Amino acid sequence: IEAQRPISASDLIEELGLPKPTVHRLLKELEEEGILQREPVNKRYLPGVRSQALAFGLATHKVLGAPRHAILQTLSDEIGETCNCTMLDGDSIIYFDRVETNWPFRVQLPVGTHLPLHCTASGKLFLAYMNSTQRKRLITAAPLARHTEKTITDPDLLLENLKQVKEDGIGVDNEENLAGMVAIAVPVMNSKKEICFTIAVHAPKIRKSLEELRQYIPSLKRAAAAMTSNYCNSDES
């Protein structure tokens, strides 16, 4: 079963057609093994720590990820800046592939680095394409941390910003996470128009302005389309 939101035991019983005691027993076993975990309030089920580790391990596997890394390398060579791929990990994004620029002035954010959703180009894309309930929960669960003078910390303003992100299909970080750094991200979508992961480029503003990075949006989208063909075109059976 595939779900883009936390799922309840009742949902699983209906979807799988199994007896209620059987589903509850399986869920308990999966929770004990760390495959699933429950939300503290409504008790719906989410991927557990072991599932998240497995997903990250598959995403970073050098052989499985070789075509993706080659596409990312070509993109980085064209733009002359660091490019990365990120996936959603709870209430943050995590880098699972990255090609560094050769410039001496750069920000070191290795594979495995977590960054916030509300002030990163990729994070905004994940928020923008979420269902409204999940998006609002993540934005309002705790105060939005201010990382720079340009970080959007007002939930209502962020929600308005995310409407534009969804409309454009482009995530933008205008010095919102790190002062002096700008970034642009595009989604890698599957056939259901859901985000598999994102591709982003970031650069010091003294080297490339945000408007200069915007000129590479067609290149980013071509790379995203190539990655969709390699990784996100599963059969809808």
Side-chain angles (χ1 to χ4, degrees):
I1 183 171
E2 182 180 343
Q4 297 299 313
R5 56 177 175 78
I7 193 166
S8 69
S10 298
D11 293 331
L12 287 169
I13 291 168
E14 182 179 348
E15 181 73 25
L16 299 175
L18 294 174
K20 182 177 179 179
T22 301
V23 171
H24 281 286
R25 175 175 54 80
L26 290 172
L27 288 172
K28 183 180 179 182
E29 291 175 358
L30 291 171
E31 188 177 0
E32 289 174 349
E33 292 296 324
I35 304 299
L36 295 177
Q37 63 182 345
R38 282 193 293 178
E39 291 185 319
V41 178
N42 58 29
K43 305 301 183 182
R44 289 176 177 268
Y45 288 88
L46 294 163
V49 175
R50 286 183 61 188
S51 294
Q52 294 169 19
L54 176 61
F56 184 71
L58 289 172
T60 56
H61 193 284
K62 287 188 176 181
V63 174
L64 296 175
R68 179 191 62 237
H69 193 77
I71 295 167
L72 205 60
Q73 181 70 64
T74 300
L75 182 67
S76 179
D77 290 343
E78 176 185 350
I79 301 175
E81 299 294 346
T82 296
C83 294
N84 59 68
C85 290
T86 71
M87 59 194 295
L88 184 64
D89 188 19
D91 61 352
S92 62
I93 56 169
I94 184 170
Y95 285 175
F96 68 90
D97 203 349
R98 185 171 175 85
V99 174
E100 292 277 359
T101 177
N102 290 322
W103 292 99
F105 178 45
R106 58 189 178 185
V107 176
Q108 296 287 351
L109 294 169
V111 167
T113 297
H114 284 81
L115 291 175
L117 295 173
H118 69 288
C119 58
T120 55
S122 291
K124 288 182 185 179
L125 279 172
F126 284 114
L127 285 171
Y129 282 91
M130 284 178 188
N131 67 66
S132 58
T133 301
Q134 186 181 7
R135 177 170 55 246
K136 190 171 183 179
R137 184 187 300 124
L138 283 172
I139 290 174
T140 60
L144 298 173
R146 181 175 295 281
H147 292 259
T148 74
E149 292 182 355
K150 294 189 175 183
T151 305
I152 301 174
T153 58
D154 183 310
D156 291 333
L157 290 178
L158 181 59
L159 287 170
E160 284 300 314
N161 181 265
L162 293 175
K163 288 180 182 178
Q164 190 64 50
V165 172
K166 180 81 176 285
E167 183 177 331
D168 296 340
I170 306 292
V172 174
D173 170 8
N174 186 17
E175 300 185 80
E176 296 161 59
N177 183 48
L178 292 170
M181 297 294 294
V182 292
I184 287 180
V186 300
V188 178
M189 311 290 280
N190 63 20
S191 57
K192 298 178 183 178
K193 302 302 179 183
E194 300 162 340
I195 297 184
C196 297
F197 53 93
T198 68
I199 304 176
V201 56
H202 68 71
K205 192 176 179 180
I206 59 172
R207 193 158 64 227
K208 280 190 177 69
S209 67
L210 186 58
E211 289 309 309
E212 288 176 304
L213 282 187
R214 284 185 182 277
Q215 297 175 15
Y216 294 99
I217 288 175
S219 299
L220 285 161
K221 288 184 174 181
R222 283 194 296 271
M227 291 192 186
T228 292
S229 297
N230 279 277
Y231 294 99
C232 300
N233 274 342
S234 59
D235 292 333
E236 297 181 50
S237 56

PDB file of all heavy atoms in Angstrom, residues 56 58 68 84 92 103 131 134 140 143 156 171 176 200 204 207 211 234 237:
ATOM      1  N   PHE A  56      16.992   5.763   2.888  1.00  0.00           N
ATOM      2  CA  PHE A  56      18.194   6.573   2.673  1.00  0.00           C
ATOM      3  C   PHE A  56      19.323   5.714   2.105  1.00  0.00           C
ATOM      4  O   PHE A  56      20.059   6.145   1.217  1.00  0.00           O
ATOM      5  CB  PHE A  56      18.634   7.232   3.980  1.00  0.00           C
ATOM      6  CG  PHE A  56      19.805   8.153   3.830  1.00  0.00           C
ATOM      7  CD1 PHE A  56      19.659   9.363   3.171  1.00  0.00           C
ATOM      8  CD2 PHE A  56      21.041   7.808   4.337  1.00  0.00           C
ATOM      9  CE1 PHE A  56      20.742  10.227   3.017  1.00  0.00           C
ATOM     10  CE2 PHE A  56      22.135   8.663   4.184  1.00  0.00           C
ATOM     11  CZ  PHE A  56      21.982   9.871   3.524  1.00  0.00           C
ATOM     12  N   LEU A  58      19.037   3.047   0.212  1.00  0.00           N
ATOM     13  CA  LEU A  58      18.763   2.792  -1.203  1.00  0.00           C
ATOM     14  C   LEU A  58      19.039   4.034  -2.047  1.00  0.00           C
ATOM     15  O   LEU A  58      19.590   3.945  -3.146  1.00  0.00           O
ATOM     16  CB  LEU A  58      17.305   2.352  -1.377  1.00  0.00           C
ATOM     17  CG  LEU A  58      16.958   0.955  -0.865  1.00  0.00           C
ATOM     18  CD1 LEU A  58      15.448   0.737  -0.926  1.00  0.00           C
ATOM     19  CD2 LEU A  58      17.677  -0.115  -1.686  1.00  0.00           C
ATOM     20  N   ARG A  68      21.623   8.847 -11.748  1.00  0.00           N
ATOM     21  CA  ARG A  68      21.240  10.120 -11.126  1.00  0.00           C
ATOM     22  C   ARG A  68      22.461  10.992 -10.886  1.00  0.00           C
ATOM     23  O   ARG A  68      22.452  12.189 -11.170  1.00  0.00           O
ATOM     24  CB  ARG A  68      20.530   9.842  -9.797  1.00  0.00           C
ATOM     25  CG  ARG A  68      20.100  11.116  -9.061  1.00  0.00           C
ATOM     26  CD  ARG A  68      19.653  10.824  -7.643  1.00  0.00           C
ATOM     27  NE  ARG A  68      20.733  10.260  -6.856  1.00  0.00           N
ATOM     28  CZ  ARG A  68      20.676   9.080  -6.228  1.00  0.00           C
ATOM     29  NH1 ARG A  68      19.592   8.354  -6.266  1.00  0.00           N
ATOM     30  NH2 ARG A  68      21.724   8.633  -5.554  1.00  0.00           N
ATOM     31  N   ASN A  84      22.522  19.417  -5.893  1.00  0.00           N
ATOM     32  CA  ASN A  84      22.229  18.337  -4.961  1.00  0.00           C
ATOM     33  C   ASN A  84      20.828  17.775  -5.187  1.00  0.00           C
ATOM     34  O   ASN A  84      20.001  18.390  -5.852  1.00  0.00           O
ATOM     35  CB  ASN A  84      22.380  18.818  -3.515  1.00  0.00           C
ATOM     36  CG  ASN A  84      21.464  19.977  -3.189  1.00  0.00           C
ATOM     37  OD1 ASN A  84      20.248  19.826  -3.145  1.00  0.00           O
ATOM     38  ND2 ASN A  84      22.050  21.156  -2.970  1.00  0.00           N
ATOM     39  N   SER A  92      12.157  17.779   7.997  1.00  0.00           N
ATOM     40  CA  SER A  92      13.332  18.403   7.391  1.00  0.00           C
ATOM     41  C   SER A  92      13.598  17.746   6.042  1.00  0.00           C
ATOM     42  O   SER A  92      12.927  16.796   5.646  1.00  0.00           O
ATOM     43  CB  SER A  92      14.560  18.251   8.307  1.00  0.00           C
ATOM     44  OG  SER A  92      14.885  16.883   8.485  1.00  0.00           O
ATOM     45  N   TRP A 103      34.959  25.598  -7.103  1.00  0.00           N
ATOM     46  CA  TRP A 103      35.344  26.903  -6.568  1.00  0.00           C
ATOM     47  C   TRP A 103      35.856  26.759  -5.135  1.00  0.00           C
ATOM     48  O   TRP A 103      35.332  25.971  -4.354  1.00  0.00           O
ATOM     49  CB  TRP A 103      34.157  27.863  -6.574  1.00  0.00           C
ATOM     50  CG  TRP A 103      33.697  28.283  -7.924  1.00  0.00           C
ATOM     51  CD1 TRP A 103      32.647  27.784  -8.627  1.00  0.00           C
ATOM     52  CD2 TRP A 103      34.265  29.302  -8.751  1.00  0.00           C
ATOM     53  NE1 TRP A 103      32.513  28.414  -9.836  1.00  0.00           N
ATOM     54  CE2 TRP A 103      33.504  29.364  -9.943  1.00  0.00           C
ATOM     55  CE3 TRP A 103      35.343  30.170  -8.609  1.00  0.00           C
ATOM     56  CZ2 TRP A 103      33.771  30.237 -10.970  1.00  0.00           C
ATOM     57  CZ3 TRP A 103      35.621  31.065  -9.635  1.00  0.00           C
ATOM     58  CH2 TRP A 103      34.856  31.097 -10.792  1.00  0.00           C
ATOM     59  N   ASN A 131      -0.445  17.745   1.257  1.00  0.00           N
ATOM     60  CA  ASN A 131      -1.840  18.082   1.482  1.00  0.00           C
ATOM     61  C   ASN A 131      -1.900  19.174   2.553  1.00  0.00           C
ATOM     62  O   ASN A 131      -0.989  19.319   3.369  1.00  0.00           O
ATOM     63  CB  ASN A 131      -2.657  16.855   1.880  1.00  0.00           C
ATOM     64  CG  ASN A 131      -2.290  16.295   3.242  1.00  0.00           C
ATOM     65  OD1 ASN A 131      -2.499  16.935   4.272  1.00  0.00           O
ATOM     66  ND2 ASN A 131      -1.737  15.088   3.267  1.00  0.00           N
ATOM     67  N   GLN A 134      -1.338  18.318   6.422  1.00  0.00           N
ATOM     68  CA  GLN A 134       0.037  18.001   6.799  1.00  0.00           C
ATOM     69  C   GLN A 134       0.915  19.252   6.743  1.00  0.00           C
ATOM     70  O   GLN A 134       1.757  19.476   7.622  1.00  0.00           O
ATOM     71  CB  GLN A 134       0.593  16.923   5.874  1.00  0.00           C
ATOM     72  CG  GLN A 134       1.985  16.423   6.282  1.00  0.00           C
ATOM     73  CD  GLN A 134       2.516  15.374   5.324  1.00  0.00           C
ATOM     74  OE1 GLN A 134       1.908  15.102   4.285  1.00  0.00           O
ATOM     75  NE2 GLN A 134       3.635  14.773   5.664  1.00  0.00           N
ATOM     76  N   THR A 140       2.955  24.991  11.760  1.00  0.00           N
ATOM     77  CA  THR A 140       2.472  25.592  13.017  1.00  0.00           C
ATOM     78  C   THR A 140       2.826  24.784  14.259  1.00  0.00           C
ATOM     79  O   THR A 140       2.535  25.207  15.370  1.00  0.00           O
ATOM     80  CB  THR A 140       0.948  25.774  12.964  1.00  0.00           C
ATOM     81  OG1 THR A 140       0.316  24.487  12.789  1.00  0.00           O
ATOM     82  CG2 THR A 140       0.550  26.690  11.817  1.00  0.00           C
ATOM     83  N   PRO A 143       7.419  27.287  16.587  1.00  0.00           N
ATOM     84  CA  PRO A 143       7.813  28.551  15.938  1.00  0.00           C
ATOM     85  C   PRO A 143       8.833  28.294  14.827  1.00  0.00           C
ATOM     86  O   PRO A 143       9.748  27.477  14.986  1.00  0.00           O
ATOM     87  CB  PRO A 143       8.426  29.352  17.095  1.00  0.00           C
ATOM     88  CG  PRO A 143       7.785  28.800  18.324  1.00  0.00           C
ATOM     89  CD  PRO A 143       7.584  27.338  18.053  1.00  0.00           C
ATOM     90  N   ASP A 156       1.513  32.517   8.256  1.00  0.00           N
ATOM     91  CA  ASP A 156       0.581  32.981   7.223  1.00  0.00           C
ATOM     92  C   ASP A 156       1.337  33.483   5.994  1.00  0.00           C
ATOM     93  O   ASP A 156       0.939  33.215   4.852  1.00  0.00           O
ATOM     94  CB  ASP A 156      -0.312  34.093   7.771  1.00  0.00           C
ATOM     95  CG  ASP A 156      -1.304  33.577   8.808  1.00  0.00           C
ATOM     96  OD1 ASP A 156      -1.668  32.386   8.731  1.00  0.00           O
ATOM     97  OD2 ASP A 156      -1.698  34.352   9.697  1.00  0.00           O
ATOM     98  N   GLY A 171      11.150  26.117  -6.303  1.00  0.00           N
ATOM     99  CA  GLY A 171      11.458  26.530  -4.941  1.00  0.00           C
ATOM    100  C   GLY A 171      12.626  27.500  -4.947  1.00  0.00           C
ATOM    101  O   GLY A 171      13.588  27.303  -5.700  1.00  0.00           O
ATOM    102  N   GLU A 176      17.636  32.882   2.738  1.00  0.00           N
ATOM    103  CA  GLU A 176      16.737  32.617   3.863  1.00  0.00           C
ATOM    104  C   GLU A 176      17.293  31.588   4.843  1.00  0.00           C
ATOM    105  O   GLU A 176      16.914  31.569   6.010  1.00  0.00           O
ATOM    106  CB  GLU A 176      15.374  32.155   3.326  1.00  0.00           C
ATOM    107  CG  GLU A 176      14.661  33.227   2.520  1.00  0.00           C
ATOM    108  CD  GLU A 176      13.572  32.648   1.640  1.00  0.00           C
ATOM    109  OE1 GLU A 176      12.655  32.015   2.206  1.00  0.00           O
ATOM    110  OE2 GLU A 176      13.637  32.808   0.405  1.00  0.00           O
ATOM    111  N   ALA A 200      18.417  20.682  -6.739  1.00  0.00           N
ATOM    112  CA  ALA A 200      18.641  22.091  -6.413  1.00  0.00           C
ATOM    113  C   ALA A 200      20.059  22.508  -6.761  1.00  0.00           C
ATOM    114  O   ALA A 200      20.978  21.680  -6.833  1.00  0.00           O
ATOM    115  CB  ALA A 200      18.386  22.343  -4.922  1.00  0.00           C
ATOM    116  N   PRO A 204      27.022  31.162  -3.772  1.00  0.00           N
ATOM    117  CA  PRO A 204      27.198  32.418  -3.055  1.00  0.00           C
ATOM    118  C   PRO A 204      26.689  33.575  -3.918  1.00  0.00           C
ATOM    119  O   PRO A 204      26.930  33.606  -5.132  1.00  0.00           O
ATOM    120  CB  PRO A 204      28.717  32.520  -2.860  1.00  0.00           C
ATOM    121  CG  PRO A 204      29.259  31.176  -3.194  1.00  0.00           C
ATOM    122  CD  PRO A 204      28.301  30.536  -4.131  1.00  0.00           C
ATOM    123  N   ARG A 207      28.914  35.407  -6.291  1.00  0.00           N
ATOM    124  CA  ARG A 207      29.333  34.754  -7.528  1.00  0.00           C
ATOM    125  C   ARG A 207      28.191  34.666  -8.531  1.00  0.00           C
ATOM    126  O   ARG A 207      28.379  34.873  -9.735  1.00  0.00           O
ATOM    127  CB  ARG A 207      29.885  33.361  -7.223  1.00  0.00           C
ATOM    128  CG  ARG A 207      30.627  32.758  -8.393  1.00  0.00           C
ATOM    129  CD  ARG A 207      31.590  31.678  -7.960  1.00  0.00           C
ATOM    130  NE  ARG A 207      30.933  30.524  -7.364  1.00  0.00           N
ATOM    131  CZ  ARG A 207      31.321  29.946  -6.226  1.00  0.00           C
ATOM    132  NH1 ARG A 207      32.366  30.431  -5.573  1.00  0.00           N
ATOM    133  NH2 ARG A 207      30.685  28.904  -5.752  1.00  0.00           N
ATOM    134  N   GLU A 211      18.804  35.928  -9.733  1.00  0.00           N
ATOM    135  CA  GLU A 211      18.325  36.076 -11.113  1.00  0.00           C
ATOM    136  C   GLU A 211      19.218  35.313 -12.091  1.00  0.00           C
ATOM    137  O   GLU A 211      18.731  34.757 -13.081  1.00  0.00           O
ATOM    138  CB  GLU A 211      18.249  37.556 -11.490  1.00  0.00           C
ATOM    139  CG  GLU A 211      17.126  38.296 -10.796  1.00  0.00           C
ATOM    140  CD  GLU A 211      15.786  37.588 -10.949  1.00  0.00           C
ATOM    141  OE1 GLU A 211      15.418  37.259 -12.096  1.00  0.00           O
ATOM    142  OE2 GLU A 211      15.113  37.346  -9.929  1.00  0.00           O
ATOM    143  N   SER A 234       7.194   4.299 -12.299  1.00  0.00           N
ATOM    144  CA  SER A 234       6.734   2.959 -11.939  1.00  0.00           C
ATOM    145  C   SER A 234       5.335   2.721 -12.487  1.00  0.00           C
ATOM    146  O   SER A 234       4.580   3.649 -12.710  1.00  0.00           O
ATOM    147  CB  SER A 234       6.734   2.793 -10.418  1.00  0.00           C
ATOM    148  OG  SER A 234       5.907   3.756  -9.824  1.00  0.00           O
ATOM    149  N   SER A 237      -0.257  -0.012 -11.027  1.00  0.00           N
ATOM    150  CA  SER A 237      -1.117  -1.188 -11.028  1.00  0.00           C
ATOM    151  C   SER A 237      -1.822  -1.328  -9.715  1.00  0.00           C
ATOM    152  O   SER A 237      -1.477  -0.714  -8.755  1.00  0.00           O
ATOM    153  CB  SER A 237      -0.283  -2.431 -11.329  1.00  0.00           C
ATOM    154  OG  SER A 237       0.769  -2.558 -10.405  1.00  0.00           O
TER     155      SER A 237
END
